[in-house]
Amino acid sequence: MSDPLSAHERAAVAARLTAARDETEHRIAGLTRDFDDVVAASEGSNADDEHDPEGQTIGFERAQLSALLEAARRNLTDIDAAKQRLGDPTFGSCAVCRRPIPYERLLARPTTLTCIDCADTRTRPRRRGR
């Protein structure tokens, strides 16, 4: 199997992964600070946030930040896995059909494992026979 990416394209995807990793680390740091601030603010308070008519509860804010943090950490794991795969000559080939993943897709979603057709097939609801 020939390499689906040129050296220039591979370098550009590598740069995109590095930028995505930096962005994600920055996001994790910010979300961690926000989460810690919410926790610290709630420690000294005995407010009844469950019945506060003024917006979200502290528990909801913590849950929301926790979910965002978990998603960012999963993204970081995906980025690191893609960076490891980048050295493999098959990087840029669809994991399902083995056809090349378009370079533009890899720039937009450098952690992707599938081409658009296979991704669409996996996410499209199945139609029942008539």
Side-chain angles (χ1 to χ4, degrees):
M1 171 186 264
S2 66
D3 194 335
L5 297 173
S6 71
H8 172 75
E9 290 170 335
R10 191 173 289 273
V13 173
R16 179 63 189 107
L17 284 166
T18 298
R21 190 173 206 299
D22 292 346
E23 292 165 12
T24 303
E25 285 180 327
H26 182 74
R27 180 167 173 77
I28 289 171
L31 288 167
T32 300
R33 277 191 305 275
D34 291 347
F35 183 85
D36 292 345
D37 289 347
V38 168
V39 170
S42 68
E43 284 177 352
S45 171
N46 62 354
D48 181 11
D49 67 326
E50 292 298 320
H51 299 95
D52 184 357
E54 305 242 354
Q56 303 172 341
T57 66
I58 293 170
F60 177 80
E61 287 182 55
R62 280 198 327 226
Q64 187 176 35
L65 286 168
S66 181
L68 290 170
L69 259 170
E70 181 59 33
R73 288 178 180 138
R74 276 193 313 271
N75 187 42
L76 192 61
T77 298
D78 291 345
I79 291 167
D80 289 342
K83 286 182 90 165
Q84 284 187 322
R85 289 191 314 273
L86 193 60
D88 187 329
T90 62
F91 180 87
S93 295
C94 178
V96 177
C97 70
R98 303 289 183 219
R99 290 184 306 219
I101 298 171
Y103 170 64
E104 294 78 12
R105 177 168 170 78
L106 287 170
L107 281 181
R109 297 192 55 143
T111 61
T112 192
L113 296 170
T114 59
C115 65
I116 293 171
D117 290 340
C118 291
D120 186 47
T121 300
R122 296 176 79 180
T123 59
R124 185 180 334 136
R126 300 198 190 275
R127 293 183 133 187
R128 295 178 191 226
R130 292 186 175 162

